[in-house]
Amino acid sequence: MKLTRLRLHGFKSFVEPTDFVIEPGLTGVVGPNGCGKSNLVEALRWAMGETSHKSLRAADMDAVIFAGSGNRPTRNHAEVVMTIDNSDRTAPSAVNDREILEISRRIEREAGSVYRINGRDVRARDVQILFADASTGARSPALVHQGRIGEIIQAKPEQRRRVLEEAAGISGLHARRHEAELRLKAAETNLLRVEDVIGQLAAQVDGLKKQAKQAIRYRTVSSQVRKMEATLYHLRWTAATNEVTEAEHAKDVSLREVAARTEAQAEAAKRQANVAAGLPELREAEARAGAALHRLNVALADLDREEARAKDRVAELELRLKQFAADIEREKRMAADAEQALARLAAEEETIRAEARESAGRRSGIDARVAEADGALKATEKVFSDLTTALADLTAQRNAFETTAREQAERVSKITAEIEAIERELSTLHGDAGAAVAGAQMALSEAEAAAVAAEAAHNVKRAEFEAARDAASESEKRVQRL
């Protein structure tokens, strides 16, 4: 086999379709650095089935596709086609039917590579074996790339052996031997698997034999069971016939008993009708008594609630009276302090006037005393302001007491009206409610007494308030005179 043509399209720097015709004899490619000479050798190796992108000087396998330039866009695929002369018929038997072999490898970005021989898709392994039979290949010493001479010189014995095998033309046999060994191992694995399957099927056959024996036994037992069931059904039918006869006899006896019970029920119905005729009067009397009892219970509960409210109000009024007494005592003390201050101011005023009459030259001392008098006057005005505030508080408390007294009077009148209504209602009821009425009257009396006491305390408090107000007025007049 001889290589006669190499076609590149989109592979590395060969962006446009490029054909290299290899004529008989020695063919050389010359050119400056970077013109793509090494790319031709890498294209041959790539088309022969090279799988390592590092040996192709690429970051990944997609890097062999033209990546674009300043004036050309990026390509999405690359293809290398090798045309081989097979006139000597040394190709493998699968592709040895033609004199011209076209071996191509096409890669699309992010889609992988596709190998074809004469337009038919094949495996990468098939292409590698084809070139191995020809004592060449992607990693064959026959393809000398940069640094390859040094690698051969420094190669290990195993690597040198591969060089000699390729020179002798037996590297393809080793590749076929390796593939045959892999197939033999796969066949042995399949044989082991078949033996396992046969063992499983044998176990299943033994199980099926046991199931067949069980099925035969089941069929025999089933026939015996059917016979026994037929006998049992006949015995049950006979017993059921006897039970039907006995049931008919019992039915006759029951009919006679039902007739006797029907007559007794009719007599009982008559007695029930007679008793039911007198039942409405008893129910009406019971209803009247229940209604009266309910009204008494409601009235008693209302009286208890009113009594509790009256007691709470009395306690509240007593507490307020104590507070008022404390306030009055405080006001009395403040009034006494005011009177003392006024008396002291009057004495000081007399003293100042006497000293003014005695000596006019002591004017400066008098001015100082006047300043002291002014200070005392301011203190007195402050006391007056406090008394005015206390007076306003007492006025507000008086108004509150008057409002409370009015509310208590209204509540007493309301309670009196309710008690009168209850008394009128209780007069028509049974005499057992007398104790409840007496208790209500006693509670009413206590509430009236509490209201009277609260009103008296209010009058006393009012008189004390008026006296305190008069004292405050006198203090105010004295201050104004000063």
Side-chain angles (χ1 to χ4, degrees):
M1 292 190 299
K2 294 181 181 180
L3 179 64
T4 60
R5 184 186 295 271
L6 179 65
R7 181 180 176 83
L8 297 89
H9 183 196
F11 184 84
K12 287 195 173 183
S13 60
F14 298 95
V15 57
E16 298 296 338
T18 305
D19 289 334
F20 290 91
V21 179
I22 301 174
E23 300 292 343
L26 181 63
T27 301
V29 180
V30 295
N33 292 334
C35 67
K37 299 187 297 297
S38 299
N39 291 341
L40 292 175
V41 179
E42 291 175 358
L44 289 173
R45 295 176 57 206
W46 185 70
M48 290 179 180
E50 179 60 56
T51 57
S52 175
H53 60 85
K54 293 182 180 180
S55 62
L56 298 175
R57 300 180 302 166
D60 54 15
M61 195 55 72
D62 289 343
V64 302
I65 304 173
F66 179 70
S69 62
N71 54 1
R72 291 179 180 271
T74 304
R75 295 297 179 91
N76 291 325
H77 66 276
E79 185 177 14
V80 176
V81 181
M82 299 172 60
T83 303
I84 298 175
D85 182 7
N86 189 34
S87 57
D88 54 357
R89 302 288 182 171
T90 57
S93 59
V95 294
N96 202 20
D97 55 345
R98 296 185 183 182
E99 294 182 357
I100 302 299
L101 298 179
E102 288 188 356
I103 301 171
S104 65
R105 180 178 181 180
R106 180 185 177 88
I107 183 172
E108 293 185 2
R109 198 177 298 278
E110 298 181 359
S113 300
V114 177
Y115 294 87
R116 289 187 178 88
I117 297 178
N118 293 333
R120 184 179 59 179
D121 291 342
V122 296
R123 302 176 302 168
R125 186 65 177 169
D126 296 334
V127 175
Q128 293 171 358
I129 291 174
L130 186 148
F131 287 105
D133 290 341
S135 298
T136 185
R139 300 183 182 180
S140 173
L143 294 177
V144 180
H145 54 81
Q146 294 179 0
R148 182 61 175 171
I149 302 300
E151 292 179 2
I152 295 175
I153 294 173
Q154 298 175 2
K156 295 180 180 180
E158 293 82 359
Q159 296 175 349
R160 292 180 180 177
R161 180 181 178 181
R162 285 201 299 271
V163 172
L164 296 175
E165 288 177 352
E166 288 184 358
I170 60 174
S171 58
L173 297 177
H174 284 289
R176 293 180 180 277
R177 175 185 174 185
H178 179 65
E179 185 175 2
E181 289 176 353
L182 293 177
R183 291 180 179 178
L184 286 174
K185 289 182 180 179
E188 290 177 357
T189 303
N190 292 333
L191 287 174
L192 293 175
R193 179 60 182 163
V194 168
E195 290 179 356
D196 294 338
V197 172
I198 291 172
Q200 294 176 359
L201 293 176
Q204 293 179 1
V205 168
D206 294 336
L208 292 173
K209 288 180 179 179
K210 292 180 180 179
Q211 293 178 5
K213 292 180 181 179
Q214 292 177 356
I216 294 171
R217 184 179 178 184
Y218 171 77
R219 190 176 300 171
T220 305
V221 173
S222 298
S223 62
Q224 294 177 357
V225 167
R226 284 195 296 272
K227 292 179 181 179
M228 295 297 180
E229 287 179 350
T231 305
L232 178 62
Y233 290 152
H234 178 71
L235 294 175
R236 287 182 179 178
W237 179 79
T238 304
T241 303
N242 296 330
E243 289 178 358
V244 168
T245 304
E246 294 177 357
E248 289 178 353
H249 178 68
K251 177 183 176 183
D252 295 338
V253 175
S254 298
L255 289 174
R256 289 193 294 269
E257 186 176 357
V258 166
R261 295 291 177 85
T262 303
E263 293 178 358
Q265 191 270 338
E267 294 178 0
K270 289 180 181 179
R271 290 195 299 271
Q272 182 180 5
N274 295 330
V275 173
L279 185 61
E281 296 179 359
L282 297 176
R283 288 181 177 174
E284 185 178 358
E286 181 183 4
R288 287 196 300 271
L293 179 60
H294 178 68
R295 286 195 297 273
L296 289 174
N297 291 331
V298 172
L300 181 59
D302 293 338
L303 290 174
D304 291 338
R305 288 193 294 272
E306 291 297 332
E307 181 181 3
R309 284 196 295 270
K311 288 181 179 180
D312 295 339
R313 188 59 181 171
V314 169
E316 182 180 359
L317 292 174
E318 290 177 354
L319 180 60
R320 289 188 177 182
L321 288 175
K322 292 179 181 179
Q323 294 176 354
F324 291 156
D327 294 339
I328 290 170
E329 291 295 331
R330 186 176 66 255
E331 296 298 334
K332 286 180 178 180
R333 288 193 298 271
M334 294 175 64
D337 294 338
E339 290 178 357
Q340 292 176 3
L342 291 174
R344 187 171 63 255
L345 290 174
E348 290 178 356
E349 183 182 4
E350 291 297 332
T351 304
I352 291 169
R353 287 178 180 178
E355 290 178 355
R357 287 191 301 266
E358 290 177 358
S359 177
R362 300 168 63 185
R363 180 74 177 179
S364 58
I366 293 172
D367 291 337
R369 299 292 298 275
V370 170
E372 293 179 359
D374 289 338
L377 180 61
K378 291 180 180 179
T380 305
E381 288 178 353
K382 184 178 183 301
V383 172
F384 175 73
S385 177
D386 295 337
L387 291 175
T388 304
T389 303
L391 179 62
D393 294 338
L394 292 174
T395 303
Q397 293 177 0
R398 184 187 66 181
N399 294 331
F401 278 130
E402 290 177 355
T403 303
T404 304
R406 286 196 300 271
E407 291 178 356
Q408 291 293 331
E410 292 176 358
R411 184 174 294 176
V412 168
S413 61
K414 183 178 179 181
I415 293 173
T416 303
E418 291 178 355
I419 291 174
E420 291 177 357
I422 292 171
E423 288 178 352
R424 288 194 299 272
E425 186 177 359
L426 291 176
S427 62
T428 59
L429 300 175
H430 197 269
D432 293 338
V437 174
Q441 292 177 353
M442 186 178 295
L444 177 62
S445 300
E446 293 177 356
E448 291 176 352
V452 172
E455 186 175 3
H458 173 68
N459 293 330
V460 172
K461 188 70 175 178
R462 184 175 182 180
E464 293 177 354
F465 170 74
E466 291 177 354
R469 185 179 62 183
D470 294 338
S473 299
E474 292 295 333
S475 298
E476 183 178 3
K477 291 177 180 180
R478 290 177 184 178
V479 171
Q480 290 177 355
R481 286 196 301 271
L482 292 175

